[in-house]
Amino acid sequence: MHTDRKDRDSLEYRAHRRVRRKMGFFIHALVFVLVNLGLYALHELSGGTRGHHLPFWGWGLGLAIHGIVTFLSLSTDGLRSRLLAQEMETLKRREGY
């Protein structure tokens, strides 16, 4: 699907993209909690053995990285736009526009 530059710069498009990123993280967090609660319950019901917490820590690290990447990318939206505007001004001056 082709989206032209004007559509990608619109507030509505940017808002939808930001909501998709946030919802992706929130769904990931919900699945993390539900699955790990289920694993904990199975562990307790089966009498438990050592090592049951390993999936929790591995997946927890992945979830933390997902959250950091998601919210950093959302907070740098304005920075990206400012840097792009500065670069365009520099190129215009350099080329005599």
Side-chain angles (χ1 to χ4, degrees):
M1 181 171 119
H2 175 59
T3 306
D4 68 8
R5 182 77 174 150
K6 183 179 176 186
D7 288 342
R8 286 182 289 154
D9 288 341
S10 77
L11 285 177
E12 184 177 2
Y13 176 83
R14 289 172 43 209
H16 279 281
R17 187 180 71 212
R18 291 171 62 89
V19 167
R20 280 193 310 270
R21 287 180 182 174
K22 288 178 184 180
M23 289 304 298
F25 173 72
F26 294 145
I27 290 169
H28 187 180
L30 176 65
V31 171
F32 170 80
V33 168
L34 294 175
V35 168
N36 279 290
L37 283 174
L39 289 174
Y40 179 75
L42 285 174
H43 169 74
E44 290 300 313
L45 291 172
S46 67
T49 59
R50 296 190 65 148
H52 71 281
H53 60 282
L54 293 177
F56 172 81
W57 290 111
W59 193 355
L61 177 63
L63 180 62
I65 292 169
H66 185 180
I68 290 167
V69 168
T70 297
F71 291 102
L72 278 179
S73 72
L74 294 175
S75 69
T76 60
D77 263 356
L79 174 63
R80 192 172 296 129
S81 298
R82 287 191 306 273
L83 288 173
L84 179 61
Q86 287 174 353
E87 288 300 320
M88 289 180 67
E89 283 301 315
T90 301
L91 290 173
K92 284 179 183 177
R93 276 193 311 260
R94 188 178 296 160
E95 298 192 15
Y97 284 98

